[in-house]
Amino acid sequence: MSAPAIAPSVAPRALIRLDVGEPDFATPAHIVDAGVRALREGRTRYGAPEGIVPLRAALADRMRALGHAGATAERVVVAQGAKPLLGHVLRALLAPGDACLVPDPGYPGYRAAVELAGGVAVPYPATDAAGAFALDVEAIGRCLTSRTRVLVLNSPHNPTGGVATDAELDALARLATDHDLHVVSDEVYGAITYEGAAPRGIGTRAGMAGRTVTVDSFSKTWAMTGWRLGWALLPEPLVAPVRALLLGTTTCTPEFVQRAGLAALEGSPDVVRGMVAVYRSRRDAMVEALAAIPGVTVHAPAGAFYLFPRVPGADAARLRETYGVACTDGATYGARGAGHLRLSCAASMGELLEAVGRVAECVRGR
Ligand code: PLP
């Protein structure tokens, strides 16, 4: 009988999970307390599909502070996360066979949502030749056909961590206006940026309020992924259709969850700043360590909490099975992601540096 195959001289080691797209922080205590208090107050009944008024009013204030001058509570809808909102909005916007441009690489949920809505997802390039996030508006223009109705934009971007510039957003706004497109702007990582605040969203630009849906969430900003709470600022004509989809699917978002969200908005911004500072120090250490691996190309992300290095022979399955590092294969995010790995910074510094050491071993052991 032949001896079983032995993995290259790597002792079995505890798996390091860098594949998960959620903060490793606990939800801040004042937010948890508000949720528990709301439960004890008996806020456990059905409510309005679009959310409670105080939360929608606070979100409208937040959106106005971010430059959406016409944001009102009437145009804000609350749902169980950004993901269901993306689905509902695309169902409201797309007729069967309509095309929707989605970033490649990009969050896989977009394609799924477009297809569930009966649309056709058309990838557009979201990285330049060196693999850095870049909005090439001319290349996007070349993806348009007579069936294109919607473009999904994601900045800060998952998986590259790139943040669109003012000039790119202006150019994209002109393209959307010229071609009568709606833009679904996914800004769930908008509060997690490292080079100053992200430029104001595309929906704040001239002529864009009526054709932009801005989607955001409590998940990443306040470490609330499992609470399931997100919101969208909609053009007025979309409010009724999205409300009908909420009523026909989830009925409403639990009120105690919404009360926790209200506490998040009313709490000190230092809570979020503190988490971002930790992500920043992890990002810096990871970029330095990855850049030192021969053959690896890495761009320092300007936002979100992922690194998306180009790794020779990138193979997430081998990295997991042989070296004990779980991360996501770049191809998961689209054809242009191939050759990359997505590593989340939502783990302790010790785990992150150990993981990069194992990536180096994996590259050397190819
Ligand atoms: N959009 C992007 C770009 C994401 O990365 C994610 C989650 O990973 C979501 C939306 C979904 O967020 P939520 O938890 O609010 O549904």
Side-chain angles (χ1 to χ4, degrees):
M1 212 172 82
S2 61
I6 299 175
S9 64
V10 181
R13 291 179 281 196
L15 183 69
I16 303 177
R17 296 286 309 268
L18 305 188
D19 53 333
V20 196
E22 63 179 333
D24 56 322
F25 299 106
T27 303
H30 68 284
I31 301 175
V32 175
D33 289 346
V36 170
R37 203 163 47 244
L39 278 168
R40 296 218 181 279
E41 286 167 5
R43 298 185 189 273
T44 54
R45 296 175 178 275
Y46 292 137
E50 66 276 24
I52 58 172
V53 172
L55 180 60
R56 290 165 59 226
L59 288 167
D61 289 346
R62 180 177 178 86
M63 298 308 278
R64 278 196 302 277
L66 291 173
H68 298 266
T72 57
E74 289 70 32
R75 287 178 48 214
V76 172
V77 294
V78 169
Q80 294 179 25
K83 191 188 237 183
L85 276 168
L86 289 165
H88 293 325
V89 163
L90 290 168
R91 273 175 84 175
L93 286 173
L94 294 170
D98 280 349
C100 174
L101 300 185
V102 297
D104 176 3
Y107 173 58
Y110 302 136
R111 173 177 286 275
V114 171
E115 289 173 356
L116 283 170
V120 178
V122 176
Y124 69 82
T127 42
D128 63 18
F133 176 84
L135 279 182
D136 180 345
V137 177
E138 278 180 23
I140 294 175
R142 289 194 289 277
C143 298
L144 296 174
T145 68
S146 58
R147 292 306 303 264
T148 314
R149 298 280 172 274
V150 183
L151 178 140
V152 176
L153 171 70
N154 177 213
S155 176
H157 183 262
N158 174 12
T160 67
V163 176
T165 63
D166 261 316
E168 288 166 348
L169 293 173
D170 283 342
L172 198 60
R174 277 196 298 279
L175 181 100
T177 312
D178 290 349
H179 295 272
D180 195 20
L181 304 178
H182 274 87
V183 175
V184 176
S185 182
D186 178 345
E187 302 180 12
V188 303
Y189 296 100
I192 304 174
T193 59
Y194 307 114
E195 321 294 344
R200 289 182 163 196
I202 192 162
T204 67
R205 298 177 194 243
M208 289 302 290
R211 59 175 74 252
T212 304
V213 174
T214 303
V215 178
D216 205 336
S217 172
F218 291 79
S219 289
K220 319 286 177 175
T221 309
W222 288 280
M224 291 179 71
T225 45
W227 293 77
R228 308 309 302 132
L229 189 61
W231 76 93
L233 176 64
L234 302 170
E236 199 280 326
L238 278 180
V239 172
V242 170
R243 182 183 190 280
L245 285 162
L246 287 166
L247 179 61
T249 53
T250 49
T251 305
C252 64
T253 303
E255 181 175 347
F256 58 91
V257 172
Q258 297 187 67
R259 294 278 164 189
L262 191 53
L265 293 172
E266 288 171 347
S268 164
D270 289 346
V271 172
V272 179
R273 284 191 200 118
M275 291 190 269
V276 173
V278 175
Y279 292 135
R280 179 189 282 109
S281 59
R282 293 171 179 173
R283 172 200 77 151
D284 292 346
M286 290 274 278
V287 168
E288 195 183 328
L290 283 164
I293 304 174
V296 168
T297 313
V298 60
H299 301 277
F305 43 68
Y306 308 110
L307 286 115
F308 199 59
R310 173 171 275 283
V311 178
D315 182 346
R318 194 164 67 96
L319 195 53
R320 183 188 180 112
E321 281 152 26
T322 310
Y323 297 91
V325 177
C327 63
T328 321
D329 197 287
T332 309
Y333 303 94
R336 287 182 184 84
H340 295 75
L341 297 173
R342 191 195 75 169
L343 307 170
S344 165
C345 290
S348 71
M349 188 69 101
E351 285 177 304
L352 292 170
L353 294 179
E354 169 67 23
V356 177
R358 296 186 195 180
V359 171
E361 277 180 55
C362 182
V363 171
R364 275 199 306 273
R366 264 197 312 143

